[in-house]
Amino acid sequence: WGENMSSDEEVAAASRPYFIGKKENIIQARRVLKSVGGRDVLVMYHQGDFYAIDARCYHSGGPLQEGDIEDFDGRPCIVCPWHKYKITLDEGEGLYQAVDPSVKPLKPTWCSKGIKQRIHTVTESNGDVFLTLNNSAGAIDSDYYQTEKYRDTILKE
Ligand code: FES
């Protein structure tokens, strides 16, 4: 954030759409890592849809751009390469498997830890792709890894 900006200006700057690239190029690349408005965001193309998510995992700051995308419980998730946490692409929920010991035979079911990773909005216009940051005020776990300390040491673009 600019030091001299009023908080109204900061909100306006953060909520504008940022040009990410040509649609055809992003589809071809499948993943694009961008620094926008003071955040490092991973934009992905997966099975016909665009997604944007904070680039570093909410658990310990793992590089999600290197994670695989797989479906769990019928939902596309990015799997963090560091400790295999699963994060839904559409909501940023942390998913885990749990077993109810009172139900036999024991069968693991998928559960949600709630929204852990900040998700952003991707829009298209005339073949261009734009990102609008999600400025919702409540803290989300992945915000921690968007501070200067982590942005300086981890992102190598
Ligand atoms: Fe992502 Fe641990 S840092 S699972």
Side-chain angles (χ1 to χ4, degrees):
W1 303 122
E3 299 245 312
N4 302 322
M5 281 189 181
S6 72
S7 60
D8 283 352
E9 284 167 338
E10 284 179 2
V11 169
S15 58
R16 73 179 179 83
Y18 290 87
F19 174 70
I20 299 299
K22 287 279 174 205
K23 181 177 175 180
E24 62 198 55
N25 293 343
I26 297 173
I27 289 174
Q28 202 169 28
R30 305 224 155 232
R31 295 179 188 196
V32 178
L33 197 54
K34 282 277 180 190
S35 268
V36 285
R39 289 188 98 82
D40 298 328
V41 177
L42 174 62
V43 177
M44 288 163 281
Y45 179 79
H46 177 69
Q47 295 186 347
D49 290 310
F50 289 100
Y51 300 92
I53 188 167
D54 274 358
R56 274 182 293 286
C57 176
Y58 72 89
H59 174 226
S60 245
L64 295 182
Q65 70 273 17
E66 293 166 19
D68 292 332
I69 297 175
E70 289 177 47
D71 280 8
F72 295 97
D73 205 19
R75 303 174 69 187
C77 296
I78 190 129
V79 182
C80 178
W82 281 6
H83 314 100
K84 308 296 178 198
Y85 277 30
K86 295 149 185 66
I87 303 168
T88 64
L89 293 185
D90 55 352
E91 299 277 348
E93 283 177 81
L95 296 189
Y96 67 101
Q97 278 193 303
V99 173
D100 179 348
S102 67
V103 178
K104 303 273 170 38
L106 295 176
K107 189 170 162 282
T109 53
W110 286 102
C111 303
S112 172
K113 300 182 209 176
I115 293 174
K116 296 292 187 179
Q117 197 78 16
R118 195 175 283 267
I119 295 295
H120 307 282
T121 304
V122 182
T123 49
E124 297 174 43
S125 175
N126 296 324
D128 292 335
V129 173
F130 297 88
L131 174 87
T132 305
L133 292 176
N134 163 4
N135 292 320
S136 71
I140 297 178
D141 289 17
S142 66
D143 294 345
Y144 182 73
Y145 297 100
Q146 295 287 345
T147 53
E148 283 301 316
K149 183 176 157 200
Y150 289 95
R151 299 188 71 231
D152 287 350
T153 53
I154 300 180
L155 184 77
K156 303 177 215 90
E157 242 188 308

